[in-house]
Amino acid sequence: MDKPWKISRGPIAATELDVEKANAINMLLIRPVGVLPAKSGDPIRPFAVGLFNEFRPLLKPDAGVTTLRRATAAYVHCRRYYFASAQPDSMRYGLDGEPVEPLSPEDRLVAQKRFLSLKQITGKADAPEQAAPVPAPLLSKSEQIRAALLGKRNAVS
């Protein structure tokens, strides 16, 4: 996994959860920004480098920078964002949602590794849990002795 992917999956569509995360960011701003998906199915657009600094002047007066940082981190550190960033034809987008520059091969490779790591973690979480072994019933002292003696008798015969 030392080379970025060469086959593109095309635009990566946002899910309802992605839109909820985008709305959490937009709720903190004085106006919605075009780089975020507005509805399920809209493409996930990787942010231009330094885009967070463009969000800050749009912050509502009653909203904190830390809250904006956390909401933005929740959006950009999810599996689908990394998947969109790892595509061979992925671009970085500005505040208005217009492409600014292609992602570098290094950035795409980092996104690819993080995507695969998150996919593996969630795959393990989605796997059904194995049934825990049922503990042996508690036996009285006399039952334990009887079981031990019967076990020896069965082993001899």
Side-chain angles (χ1 to χ4, degrees):
M1 187 172 53
D2 296 332
K3 295 181 182 178
W5 293 329
K6 293 183 179 183
I7 299 173
S8 176
R9 305 277 190 243
I12 305 305
T15 63
E16 284 297 321
L17 182 59
D18 298 321
V19 173
E20 287 177 25
K21 291 176 183 180
N23 287 339
I25 296 170
N26 279 327
M27 295 292 289
L28 300 170
L29 305 176
I30 56 175
R31 66 174 176 82
V33 292
V35 70
L36 296 170
K39 63 185 183 313
S40 186
D42 284 353
I44 294 180
R45 298 180 187 106
F47 292 173
V49 175
L51 191 68
F52 182 80
N53 292 328
E54 294 183 41
F55 282 165
R56 290 178 71 173
L58 298 176
L59 192 61
K60 288 181 179 175
D62 59 335
V65 175
T66 302
T67 306
L68 177 62
R69 188 172 301 282
R70 287 181 181 156
T72 305
Y75 179 76
V76 301
H77 294 293
C78 69
R79 197 167 79 174
R80 297 186 66 75
Y81 185 89
Y82 287 131
F83 191 45
S85 299
Q87 299 304 308
D89 54 356
S90 59
M91 298 287 291
R92 292 192 178 278
Y93 292 82
L95 201 59
D96 57 358
E98 294 298 317
V100 175
E101 64 183 354
L103 264 85
S104 69
E106 295 82 20
D107 289 347
R108 286 186 19 241
L109 185 60
V110 168
Q112 176 181 322
K113 288 178 180 179
R114 288 184 180 163
F115 167 75
L116 293 172
S117 173
L118 288 173
K119 185 177 178 183
Q120 184 180 26
I121 290 169
T122 56
K124 288 179 183 175
D126 294 343
E129 291 185 29
Q130 297 207 358
V134 178
L138 296 176
L139 301 174
S140 69
K141 190 80 162 178
S142 62
E143 290 172 326
Q144 290 176 2
I145 293 171
R146 185 177 300 130
L149 290 173
L150 288 173
K152 287 181 184 177
R153 188 178 302 161
N154 290 340
V156 174
S157 36

